[in-house]
Amino acid sequence: MSTSSPSPRDVLLGAQAGAVVLPVCDHYSGVEARMKKSLALQAEMAEEFGACVFDVTLDCEDGAPVGGEADHAELVTGLALAAAPAMRVGVRVHPVDHAAFDADVATIAGRAGQRLSHLMVPKVESVDDVEKAAAALDAAGAGQLPLHVLIESPLAVQRAFDIAAHPRVQSLSFGLMDFVSAHAGAIPADGMGVAGQFSHPLVVRAKLEIASAAHAHGKVPSHCVVTEFSNVEALRAAAKRAAAEFGYTRMWSIHPSQIRPILEAFAPDEGQIELATRIVDAAVRQDWAPVSIDGTLHDRASYRHFWQVLERAHATGRALPNEALAWFPSSNTQTTAPPRNPR
């Protein structure tokens, strides 16, 4: 393909070509030592993969001790400013109705807004809460900073489509544990576990509503935590279900051991990558006219799907065939994935 040819992304996605593509893993930490280790691991894995493959979100809501919110905000600000420029660092502040919210945003976004990738706002109940968060960012001089919102109650789930429609919202996350506890015991405790969160009808419905709302408005749905952080197989199975069955394109990590399994679960396998490359390459050669591959007809609808498979492969650090490298200029010097560390 000529380097002057339009990118498949521009051709296939049209007006949506500028839509955000986020790393598939969002890693949370709030204790100082763990935040520093998370940032160090992010830089280490970026060197390994040749790109920043997961976000680090520094946590004020669960990380700040009661009465120590201002000091924690200062700590988080300093860590964000010290991170390497190519790294993606976000911050979860307190809810908009918390006494520390305004100070969180003024301190963190006011001083480090240009350095942050996003601001996560928990316990969003309505569009009004999004407006309050957006106004606080504007007042802090960080109006460019995307908002990620956490949907944690039945009422918020009901309003998910309206929340997702807000232009300042970039991603919707599902807050599993608060959602379950908001039901006053009507959902059993195992609804917060790996098995229950994929089987209880109310939890399943909430997950699907959030994912559907996000996709309806071109936003990124981010799947909830797996609290059994020492059970890697359970985490891997949950991540695969979130991606393959529930439509999520991103997932929370709460322990470093969860990051690689999430990357692997959300990444296409070699067969998918090879097929996607063949189909998109044939489409390019036919100037996007319909083609037949292995007896199956493909046109722009399927081209879009397979292009997005390649984008996900690129975002998760997977090896791309030579034919696909020209479509990702930053990867032109890399024909195979970097070696994995055996941790």
Side-chain angles (χ1 to χ4, degrees):
M1 186 181 72
S2 168
T3 56
S4 62
S5 300
S7 163
R9 182 173 176 81
D10 295 327
V11 172
L12 296 173
L13 301 187
Q16 295 180 347
V20 65
V21 177
L22 297 178
V24 300
C25 181
D26 188 12
H27 179 65
Y28 278 73
S29 54
V31 176
E32 181 175 4
R34 292 174 185 169
M35 290 191 288
K36 290 179 177 178
K37 288 181 179 179
S38 298
L39 292 167
L41 179 61
Q42 183 188 49
E44 178 184 332
M45 289 182 65
E47 182 176 357
E48 174 190 346
F49 283 91
C52 183
V53 292
F54 70 93
D55 286 355
V56 169
T57 299
L58 307 175
D59 193 2
C60 291
E61 184 188 24
D62 289 340
V66 176
E69 292 88 355
D71 289 340
H72 197 77
E74 291 285 347
L75 170 63
V76 162
T77 301
L79 292 174
L81 289 171
M87 298 300 98
R88 287 181 50 88
V89 180
V91 173
R92 177 164 69 164
V93 294
H94 287 85
V96 296
D97 60 356
H98 191 282
F101 171 77
D102 289 328
D104 276 354
V105 176
T107 298
I108 300 165
R111 290 174 48 198
Q114 293 294 331
R115 179 62 198 80
L116 296 177
S117 59
H118 62 273
L119 193 82
M120 166 59 78
V121 183
K123 296 180 173 57
V124 168
E125 290 288 304
S126 66
V127 174
D128 285 346
D129 289 346
V130 178
E131 292 285 0
K132 290 175 184 176
L137 283 178
D138 291 343
Q144 83 294 339
L145 195 59
L147 286 170
H148 293 193
V149 300
L150 191 52
I151 306 297
E152 304 183 66
S153 74
L155 187 57
V157 170
Q158 180 187 355
R159 296 167 173 168
F161 281 81
D162 292 335
I163 292 169
H166 195 284
R168 298 286 286 272
V169 170
Q170 187 181 64
S171 175
L172 275 69
S173 291
F174 178 44
L176 170 68
M177 299 177 74
D178 280 277
F179 178 81
V180 170
S181 65
H183 284 76
I187 300 176
D190 64 9
M192 292 183 276
V194 172
Q197 67 169 279
F198 288 101
S199 60
H200 194 283
L202 287 174
V203 180
V204 168
R205 175 180 174 272
K207 288 187 180 187
L208 294 174
E209 285 290 303
I210 291 168
S212 181
H215 287 299
H217 294 286
K219 309 302 172 68
V220 175
S222 187
H223 193 263
C224 59
V225 300
V226 169
T227 56
E228 297 94 328
F229 59 82
S230 62
N231 188 338
V232 175
E233 288 307 314
L235 181 278
R236 183 175 287 110
K240 287 182 177 179
R241 294 197 69 181
E245 300 176 30
F246 286 76
Y248 283 81
T249 57
R250 181 170 162 96
M251 184 169 177
W252 284 37
S253 160
I254 54 171
H255 191 275
S257 66
Q258 295 183 327
I259 295 170
R260 289 177 186 270
I262 289 172
L263 291 176
E264 293 166 4
F266 278 79
D269 61 31
E270 291 183 7
Q272 291 175 301
I273 295 170
E274 189 274 336
L275 177 61
T277 301
R278 287 177 60 205
I279 291 171
V280 176
D281 184 58
V284 170
R285 294 176 186 277
Q286 292 297 319
D287 199 23
W288 307 107
V291 299
S292 175
I293 302 290
D294 298 333
T296 299
L297 179 68
H298 294 280
D299 59 15
R300 289 204 179 209
S302 56
Y303 298 160
R304 281 193 296 273
H305 168 80
F306 288 107
W307 170 248
Q308 289 163 336
V309 169
L310 293 176
E311 285 196 314
R312 193 164 68 253
H314 180 251
T316 50
R318 290 304 182 260
L320 294 174
N322 288 333
E323 300 93 322
L325 291 177
W327 304 325
F328 299 95
S330 63
S331 299
N332 282 350
T333 59
Q334 180 182 311
T335 57
T336 58
R340 304 271 194 273
N341 287 344
R343 294 186 304 276

